[in-house]
Amino acid sequence: MNTPIRFLLRSLILHTVCITYFILFFYFFISIPFVQAEESKDPQDESKIVFQIGRPDARSAEFGGINWSKMREEKNFSPITFKVGNDSWSKWPVIHLSTRDFRNAGVSFTSTIEFDADKTYTEPLWLVVGVCFSHATEPSQINITINGKKLAPERAPTSTREEFKRKFNAAKDTGTMMSTAIPIPPNSVKEGKNVFTIMLNDGSWIFYDYLVLKNSPDPMKMQPASLLMDQFRKNGMKGIKEIVFVVRKLSTDPHWYANFGYYAQDENTFPFPLGSGARICAYDLDTGKVRTIIQTKTGSLRDPQIHYDGKKMIFSMLPDGKRHFNLYEINLDGTGLKQITSGDWDDIEPCYLPNNDIIFCSSRCKRWVQCWLTPVATLHRCGPNGENIHEVSSNIEHDNTPWVLPNGQILYMRWEYVDRSQVHYHHLWTMNPDGTRQMVYFGNLHPGILMIDAKPIPGSDKTVVVFSPGHGRKDHMGAITVVNPRNGPDDEDNAKKISNHSAHKDPWAFSETEFLTTRKGALQLLDEHGTEYSFYSLSDEEIKEEFDIHEPRPVQAHAREMIIPEGGDPTKTTGNLLLMNIYQGRKMKNIKPGTIKELLVLETLPEPIHYQGGMDQISSGGTFTLQRILGTVPVRPDGSAYIELPANRPVFFVAFDHQGKPVKRMHSFTSVMPGETTSCIGCHESRTESPGNDFKNKLFELTTKGAVAPRPITDIPDIFDFPRDIQPILDKYCVECHQYTRKDGGVDLSGDWSLQRTMSYQTLSKRALLGDNRNRPQSDFEPYEIGSSASRLYQLIEEGHEGVKMPDHEKKMIRYWLNSGANYAGTYAANGNGILWSYHNTAILADREWKESLAMKDAVSRRCDGCHNPRKRYLPHRLTGGGTYDISTLFNLTHPSKSRIVRAPLALSAGGLGVCRTKDKQPIFKDTSDPDYKTILAALEKGKHYLTYEDQRFSVKQPIVPCRPYAREMVRFGILPHDYDYKTPIDVYETDRKYFESFWYKPPQKKKISD
C-alpha cells in the first residue's frame, strides 16, 4: 500500500477514534450534567423550596386537630401560628373550616405561617396548597396575605361527588391529591422574617395534604408514607433485620401506672386483664413474617429489652396461673428461658446495665399510691442472676421506665406530690446506677404532663419521650416528643412534639428524625414531621378484643454505655448533703443574708394501703402524706449548711427565720445513698446556675468541720395526730366561743365528729386557715407564703385573739403541726376506718338500708322538702344522702341532739335555733317530743353507734381493729405476724411506726467464715 493511501487510512482511523472519544466524553462528562440539570427542575428539588408543611401523600395524618367549636365560642378566629423550622407538622390543623360550614354562620378562620428567608426573592414564587379531601360542591376561596399584602384569591379544588360520599378518617385514610397554586409576586418574600396568613371564605372546608412555597406552580409529586421504610433502612435502621414487640391486652384501669398488682379492697381484683394471655414476637423487616419467641395463654408478658450482644433479651412475665410479674431472660430464638427474680412481688420494666447488672421497677418497696387503689413500684437493682436485690430509690410514689443514657446515668420518670397537686408532677429525672446523684432532667417545675418511656437518641444529647396528657393515659399513651435538656430542665421550649395526637406509645429513636412506635394495634415508623407509616398491624379480631402492640425494640447489638464507679459506702447508714447558699434561689433576692437560722428536716412517709383518689383521713384537701419531723439543723450566716441525713429515705426542708417562721418550703424530696456526699446550690435555684466563686473555699471549710445530723425536737411529737395533739389545745383556748352552742363567726372548733373528721378540722380546712398548699399545682412560692407564716389560725394565736394568751409550748405544738403538713390523722390505719360518706373508689353508704335511715328519709321529705327541695337548697334525706349543704355542718355524731339538722327546725324555747319555720312563722318542731324530730335524731344516734362500735373510728380509743386491707398488707410486709387474727385490736400508731422503721437502711452483714 502506497504512502498516501496509508496516510489517509491512518487519518481516518485517528479521526474515527477521536470522534468516538468525543462522543464518550460528551456522554459521560457533558450530557449527564445536562440530564441532571434537567432533572433538577423537579419541583421537589429542596433547593427550589422555601418551606414545606406536610408530606405530599394524599393524607392528613401528620397534621393536628383544632377545637374549632371552642375557637368559635371564644371568637378566636386565628387558631394557629405555625413557625417554620421550629414547629413540627403536627401543629398545623388537619382541616380548615370556612364560612358556609355548619354552625359557622359566616365565620372565617385565619391560620398564620411565620418563616425566615435567607434572601429577598426577586423572582416569582408560588404557594401550592395541597388538598386530599374537600367539599364537592362548595369550593372555598383561599385568601392569602404575605407580610400584610393581600393577594388575589384562588378557589380550592373539590373532591368528586363519588369521593365526597364516603367518610374520610383523617388519621388513617388516603384521599386524592389535589392542589391550587397561588402566585406570589417578586420581592414579596423579604430577607428575614416573613408572615403568611391563610383564610377561607365563600365555601366549605378542606383537608390539607401539604403546603409548599417554591419556584414553580407544579404540584408536588406523590410521596407515600411507605417510602419511610426505605429511607429509614438506608439510614438509622441500616442493618436491622427484626423488630421485637409484645402483644397483650390493654389495661383496664385508666391510670398509666395501674397495670400490675391488685386493688386495695380485694386482693382478687386486678387493674389489668389477668388471664388474657400474651406473646412476644419478632417481625422480619425483609419478609414481613412474624414469629413468636415466647407465649403465655393465661399469663402476661411485657417490657422486653435487647441485650448488648443482640442475641437475648430480658423481660417481665406473669406465668400462667400466677398473680405477679417477675423478670426472665430468653434467647431471641426462643431457647434458654431463665428466671431472674422470684417472689410474690411485681418486677417490671427491666433494663440491662453496662456492668451486667439489671435495674428495674418493683413493688418490693411495700407501699401504695397515696391517691389511688393500687401498689407502687420503685427502682431496684440486682445482679445478672437476680442476686443482691436492693432498692436504689426512696420514692413513696412511682418511678417508671428506667433507661441507661450514654454517660451511664439512669433516665427515668419520677412521680411525686410533696405538698402539691397529686396529678401534675411526673417528670424526668436521672441518677447513677447505684442511686446516687439523683437530679431532675426535665420538668418538675411546670405542671401538667406525664413524661415517660424516655430513651436517648443516638448521636445526640436529646431524648425521645412520651408526653402523656394531664395525669397520663393508660399504657403510657401520649404524644411522641423530643426533649433537648441543653437549656436546663425548666425550659418548656426545649420539648418538641412530633406526633399530632396522644395515641402513640413506647417510642424508639434510630436518629433525631427516625422513630419507631406503636399506635392502635400497629407497628409504625414516624419521622420528625409526624408522618406515620404502619408496616404491621394486628388482626381486626384481636383489636376488637382489645389486644394491642407494646414495647417495640429493634434487634441489634449495641455498645455498652459508660460504667460509672460505685459511689458512697454501703457500710454507712447515712449520707451527707452540702447546701452552698440558701439565699441563691428563686424568689430569694429580697431575703437578707443571716435571715434564715435553721432548716426543719421532714421525712415524707410511705403508705401501706390506700382506698381512694383523695386524702382520705390524712387531711381534707391538703397533704396526702404523713410527715415525720426528724429535727432541725443550723444554717450559717452565709446561707450554707452541711447536713447528715438518714440513707435512702425521702426528706425535704423548711427554712425557718430567727422567729421560727417558715421562709421557704421545699415541694419535692431529696435523698442520699449510704455514704454519699452530694450538694445543692441554694433554695430552688435555677438548674442552669453554677456555684459561685467561693465554692471551693466554702466546700473545704464545711467538709472539714463535718456534717450535722438533725437535732430532734424532744417536746413535740415527731408525727402529729390532730385529735390527739392539737384538739386538746383548741378545747382549752378556743372552744368556749367556737362550738355548736356558741358558734362565734360561724366557726366550730369543737372536737365533735362529723361524718368523716372532727368539726374543728373540717372548719379549719374549708375556711383555708391552715396556710398549706391545698393540693394546688404550684410549688414556687414567695417567701413566707406557705406554712405557719401564712396560716390565719396561727396569726390569730400570735395576735392574742379575743385576749387569749396561749403558752409558748402550745403555740410551738401548733406551729410545728402546721409546718409538718397540718395533717388530721396521725396513722394510715385511719384510712377506711370509722367513716360515713367517704369512698373506697365508691361511696361508703352503710346507712342506706338502716331502718333508722329509711324513717329519716320519710320524715325529712314530709317536714323539710317544702322549703328544701332539689330546686332550692336541698337537704340530705339520710346521713349519706348528699344535698347542697356542707353535710359536715349538719350532723354532729358526738352529740347527735346538737346537730344542725334537728336544731334548726326546733323552737328556741325547746333549745333549738328556731331558724326553720312554717309559712305561718311557726317552728317546724315545737319541742323534742315531735315524732319526726325523734325519728331524725334516732338516725343520728345510729350513726354515732356505728362509728363507735361497728366501723370504729381511729380516734375513739386505742387499740382498735383496723380495716382488713390494712392488716392484710401489714401481714404481707412482715409487720404483723403471719397468723394474725383479723378481729384482734392493735395499736395502729405503733404498727405504723414499725412499718416506717422497716425501711431504715441496714448495712449488709459480713458473712462469717466457717472454720
Side-chain angles (χ1 to χ4, degrees):
M1 186 176 293
N2 59 32
T3 301
I5 295 175
R6 187 181 297 113
F7 176 78
L8 287 173
L9 286 173
R10 286 178 181 170
S11 299
L12 182 62
I13 292 170
L14 181 61
H15 185 68
T16 303
V17 170
C18 290
I19 291 174
T20 302
Y21 274 105
F22 177 80
I23 291 172
L24 291 174
F25 177 83
F26 178 86
Y27 179 77
F28 284 106
F29 295 99
I30 299 178
S31 70
I32 287 180
F34 284 175
V35 171
Q36 289 176 341
E38 188 74 322
E39 290 179 348
S40 71
K41 293 179 181 179
D42 185 332
Q44 295 184 98
D45 184 345
E46 290 187 3
S47 65
K48 306 296 183 180
I49 293 176
V50 181
F51 70 75
Q52 178 180 336
I53 304 172
R55 186 184 184 94
D57 55 5
R59 301 177 74 236
S60 296
E62 65 267 41
F63 299 133
I66 294 289
N67 189 335
W68 297 99
S69 297
K70 184 178 180 181
M71 297 289 180
R72 190 184 301 111
E73 291 170 4
E74 296 178 354
K75 297 184 178 181
N76 179 5
F77 305 136
S78 300
I80 189 75
T81 297
F82 184 94
K83 297 181 179 179
V84 175
N86 182 67
D87 295 328
S88 68
W89 292 347
S90 62
K91 188 175 180 181
W92 187 256
V94 64
I95 187 174
H96 201 142
L97 298 186
S98 188
T99 52
R100 295 184 190 172
D101 287 320
F102 184 60
R103 294 181 181 174
N104 260 23
V107 172
S108 59
F109 295 92
T110 300
S111 295
T112 302
I113 301 172
E114 295 181 359
F115 66 98
D116 290 326
D118 57 2
K119 66 175 184 177
T120 296
Y121 282 81
T122 57
E123 69 272 26
L125 298 172
W126 279 264
L127 179 68
V128 182
V129 179
V131 176
C132 60
F133 192 63
S134 63
H135 202 286
T137 60
E138 299 283 347
S140 275
Q141 280 190 339
I142 303 177
N143 297 271
I144 303 294
T145 69
I146 171 66
N147 296 325
K149 180 181 179 181
K150 292 183 179 180
L151 305 182
E154 299 284 347
R155 288 285 175 183
T158 59
S159 296
T160 66
R161 291 181 180 273
E162 289 72 22
E163 292 169 337
F164 183 65
K165 288 178 183 178
R166 71 184 180 94
K167 292 182 178 180
F168 185 73
N169 186 327
K172 62 180 182 180
D173 287 348
T174 300
T176 301
M177 288 191 70
M178 304 173 285
S179 65
T180 294
I182 299 167
I184 309 298
N187 298 306
S188 295
V189 174
K190 308 290 187 180
E191 181 179 358
K193 183 179 178 180
N194 294 267
V195 178
F196 267 114
T197 67
I198 303 177
M199 183 269 286
L200 303 186
N201 71 341
D202 192 36
S204 195
W205 44 263
I206 62 172
F207 281 84
Y208 285 106
D209 182 10
Y210 64 87
L211 297 101
V212 62
L213 179 64
K214 59 192 185 74
N215 69 335
S216 82
D218 301 325
M220 300 280 280
K221 289 184 178 180
M222 181 74 164
Q223 294 181 0
S226 58
L227 291 177
L228 287 181
M229 180 62 79
D230 295 333
Q231 296 170 10
F232 280 28
R233 296 199 73 184
K234 289 177 183 178
N235 299 300
M237 290 178 68
K238 188 175 182 178
I240 295 173
K241 302 295 185 184
E242 286 190 316
I243 303 293
V244 165
F245 61 94
V246 181
V247 178
R248 66 173 181 272
K249 283 193 174 183
L250 292 165
S251 294
T252 53
D253 191 288
H255 297 88
W256 92 87
Y257 54 84
N259 47 34
F260 65 89
Y262 47 79
Y263 283 119
Q265 313 97 306
D266 181 2
E267 63 269 32
N268 294 310
T269 60
F270 300 86
F272 65 99
L274 181 71
S276 57
R279 63 186 186 273
I280 300 181
C281 305
Y283 176 87
D284 190 306
L285 289 166
D286 293 328
T287 66
K289 293 182 179 180
V290 174
R291 64 183 177 88
T292 298
I293 300 173
I294 186 171
Q295 185 170 8
T296 173
K297 293 182 178 180
T298 60
S300 190
L301 297 159
R302 54 179 293 171
D303 312 320
Q305 196 209 24
I306 309 300
H307 190 267
Y308 295 100
D309 62 13
K311 297 178 180 178
K312 62 183 179 180
M313 68 178 178
I314 193 171
F315 61 99
S316 185
M317 179 167 68
L318 187 155
D320 294 342
K322 299 293 185 179
R323 295 163 53 93
H324 297 283
F325 288 91
N326 288 134
L327 304 186
Y328 291 77
E329 196 172 52
I330 194 172
N331 296 325
L332 292 179
D333 62 5
T335 64
L337 180 65
K338 170 185 172 183
Q339 186 167 355
I340 303 295
T341 64
S342 60
D344 291 333
W345 309 102
D346 288 286
D347 304 323
I348 60 172
E349 299 173 350
C351 183
Y352 288 113
L353 295 177
N355 71 341
N356 295 320
D357 277 4
I358 300 162
I359 193 164
F360 60 101
C361 303
S362 179
S363 64
R364 297 169 190 269
C365 58
K366 303 176 183 178
R367 57 202 64 173
W368 285 64
V369 175
Q370 303 213 354
C371 65
W372 196 229
L373 316 127
T374 53
V376 161
T378 60
L379 294 180
H380 288 64
R381 181 175 166 179
C382 69
N385 298 307
E387 70 276 19
N388 189 29
I389 295 176
H390 60 285
E391 192 173 14
V392 292
S393 164
S394 62
N395 197 356
I396 62 173
E397 303 301 338
H398 279 276
D399 300 317
N400 280 112
T401 58
W403 207 268
V404 186
L405 292 171
N407 66 3
Q409 287 187 306
I410 306 301
L411 177 65
Y412 66 103
M413 189 286 306
R414 174 166 127 174
W415 179 26
E416 57 169 72
Y417 43 93
V418 177
D419 289 342
R420 55 182 177 172
S421 167
Q422 85 272 29
V423 297
H424 286 89
Y425 297 93
H426 8 58
H427 299 121
L428 298 177
W429 289 69
T430 58
M431 65 163 63
N432 291 344
D434 62 359
T436 59
R437 300 296 298 165
Q438 295 185 22
M439 290 288 292
V440 62
Y441 177 84
F442 195 78
N444 198 46
L445 178 64
H446 303 295
I449 287 288
L450 164 70
M451 303 176 185
I452 201 164
D453 281 309
K455 301 176 187 68
I457 297 176
S460 167
D461 292 333
K462 302 175 183 177
T463 53
V464 61
V465 191
V466 170
F467 274 28
S468 196
H471 190 32
R473 295 182 178 176
K474 67 179 182 179
D475 293 294
H476 304 183
M477 292 183 187
I480 307 303
T481 306
V482 171
V483 168
N484 183 355
R486 185 175 297 273
N487 293 334
D490 303 327
D491 189 344
E492 295 179 289
D493 291 338
N494 277 355
K496 182 179 180 181
K497 190 173 81 167
I498 299 299
S499 53
N500 63 352
H501 48 72
S502 296
H504 279 126
K505 50 185 167 60
D506 307 316
W508 183 279
F510 300 109
S511 69
E512 289 191 49
T513 61
E514 301 165 316
F515 307 96
L516 171 69
T517 182
T518 76
R519 181 187 178 209
K520 294 184 177 180
L523 286 171
Q524 285 194 337
L525 300 181
L526 186 72
D527 72 9
E528 78 274 25
H529 301 301
T531 306
E532 305 171 17
Y533 171 56
S534 298
F535 60 93
Y536 172 75
S537 296
L538 297 179
S539 67
D540 291 342
E541 182 180 353
E542 283 187 302
I543 293 174
K544 186 176 181 180
E545 293 176 0
E546 295 197 324
F547 279 94
D548 202 356
I549 291 179
H550 308 259
E551 297 111 23
R553 309 282 190 254
V555 176
Q556 59 180 344
H558 55 288
R560 295 175 185 263
E561 301 84 4
M562 288 178 57
I563 296 178
I564 298 177
E566 300 291 308
D569 182 350
T571 66
K572 304 290 187 182
T573 60
T574 62
N576 298 330
L577 173 66
L578 276 161
L579 169 63
M580 302 311 298
N581 183 1
I582 199 168
Y583 304 104
Q584 185 176 347
R586 298 186 184 102
K587 300 181 180 178
M588 293 291 286
K589 63 181 181 180
N590 294 325
I591 302 299
K592 295 180 180 179
T595 299
I596 295 172
K597 176 185 178 183
E598 61 185 8
L599 293 177
L600 177 67
V601 184
L602 296 166
E603 178 183 6
T604 182
L605 298 169
E607 189 166 1
I609 194 72
H610 198 84
Y611 311 103
Q612 54 162 289
M615 303 86 179
D616 209 329
Q617 292 294 283
I618 302 306
S619 78
S620 177
T623 180
F624 282 81
T625 71
L626 294 179
Q627 299 171 7
R628 184 208 304 270
I629 296 174
L630 298 183
T632 59
V633 292
V635 175
R636 302 190 338 161
D638 63 359
S640 64
Y642 190 23
I643 312 165
E644 182 183 66
L645 297 170
N648 207 21
R649 285 159 63 184
V651 299
F652 63 104
F653 311 106
V654 181
F656 283 166
D657 65 15
H658 286 261
Q659 295 179 321
K661 294 181 178 180
V663 181
K664 266 287 196 176
R665 186 179 188 87
M666 185 174 173
H667 291 267
S668 183
F669 75 86
T670 189
S671 62
V672 291
M673 295 302 287
E676 176 188 9
T677 295
T678 188
S679 65
C680 59
I681 298 173
C683 187
H684 300 281
E685 77 277 3
S686 171
R687 294 295 183 170
T688 57
E689 291 183 16
S690 58
N693 295 329
D694 62 342
F695 174 76
K696 290 183 179 179
N697 294 334
K698 191 179 292 186
L699 182 67
F700 176 78
E701 183 182 354
L702 287 171
T703 53
T704 301
K705 292 184 177 181
V708 178
R711 181 184 60 197
I713 306 171
T714 57
D715 57 347
I716 64 169
D718 61 343
I719 302 172
F720 276 95
D721 182 280
F722 181 85
R724 181 193 66 197
D725 303 320
I726 304 302
Q727 187 61 51
I729 301 175
L730 301 181
D731 290 342
K732 189 174 180 180
Y733 298 101
C734 307
V735 167
E736 180 181 351
C737 300
H738 301 289
Q739 36 90 357
Y740 50 85
T741 58
R742 183 183 170 184
K743 207 172 182 180
D744 288 9
V747 173
D748 186 348
L749 294 181
S750 71
D752 292 356
W753 300 344
S754 67
L755 298 185
Q756 292 181 313
R757 305 170 189 90
T758 59
M759 299 292 187
S760 54
Y761 194 84
Q762 291 292 111
T763 299
L764 293 170
S765 294
K766 288 185 179 296
R767 289 179 173 255
L769 301 176
L770 300 174
D772 59 351
N773 196 9
R774 296 282 89 195
N775 198 32
R776 291 175 293 177
Q778 184 178 350
S779 55
D780 189 15
F781 290 94
E782 295 290 342
Y784 298 102
E785 193 177 353
I786 289 291
S788 61
S789 300
S791 167
R792 182 57 180 156
L793 170 67
Y794 197 71
Q795 290 169 4
L796 290 169
I797 291 172
E798 285 197 309
E799 292 168 4
H801 175 65
E802 294 296 326
V804 173
K805 295 183 179 179
M806 190 177 290
D808 289 342
H809 182 257
E810 278 83 351
K811 290 171 63 175
K812 182 179 182 180
M813 288 279 287
I814 291 178
R815 179 164 60 91
Y816 276 99
W817 166 68
L818 290 169
N819 292 318
S820 60
N823 60 297
Y824 177 62
T827 167
Y828 287 127
N831 291 343
N833 255 13
I835 305 170
L836 283 165
W837 195 241
S838 180
Y839 61 98
H840 291 213
N841 199 32
T842 56
I844 300 174
L845 306 175
D847 67 327
R848 178 177 288 175
E849 301 302 325
W850 294 348
K851 63 180 183 180
E852 294 87 350
S853 286
L854 297 175
M856 175 182 174
K857 179 180 180 181
D858 177 64
V860 173
S861 297
R862 285 186 291 99
R863 303 299 294 275
C864 304
D865 280 359
C867 297
H868 300 282
N869 57 60
R871 295 184 180 181
K872 299 180 180 179
R873 298 199 68 186
Y874 186 41
L875 278 177
H877 287 183
R878 63 177 193 275
L879 297 185
T880 60
T884 57
Y885 283 86
D886 178 3
I887 56 177
S888 67
T889 66
L890 293 176
F891 307 133
N892 186 323
L893 300 184
T894 299
H895 302 99
S897 64
K898 305 302 181 183
S899 298
R900 190 172 181 83
I901 197 168
V902 290
R903 293 188 71 218
L906 183 63
L908 284 169
S909 59
L913 300 176
V915 174
C916 297
R917 293 177 176 271
T918 63
K919 290 182 179 180
D920 57 358
K921 307 300 182 182
Q922 297 299 311
I924 303 297
F925 302 141
K926 293 181 179 180
D927 53 47
T928 57
S929 65
D930 188 294
D932 288 332
Y933 172 90
K934 290 182 177 180
T935 296
I936 299 172
L937 183 61
L940 296 168
E941 293 283 1
K942 171 63 178 176
K944 176 180 180 179
H945 185 275
Y946 175 79
L947 298 182
T948 306
Y949 301 105
E950 298 177 46
D951 188 15
Q952 196 175 54
R953 183 159 285 193
F954 79 100
S955 56
V956 175
K957 61 179 180 178
Q958 285 293 326
I960 64 168
V961 177
C963 197
R964 188 185 186 282
Y966 171 89
R968 179 197 69 212
E969 294 305 299
M970 287 301 194
V971 170
R972 185 168 182 247
F973 300 158
I975 307 303
L976 292 175
H978 66 88
D979 57 352
Y980 169 73
D981 181 353
Y982 286 92
K983 297 180 181 179
T984 303
I986 62 172
D987 184 332
V988 291
Y989 297 98
E990 182 61 26
T991 304
D992 264 13
R993 190 169 292 276
K994 289 180 180 179
Y995 167 70
F996 301 143
E997 291 178 0
S998 71
F999 300 112
W1000 293 6
Y1001 177 75
K1002 301 176 183 63
Q1005 294 184 352
K1006 295 182 179 179
K1007 294 182 179 179
K1008 294 182 179 179
I1009 301 177
S1010 58
D1011 295 331

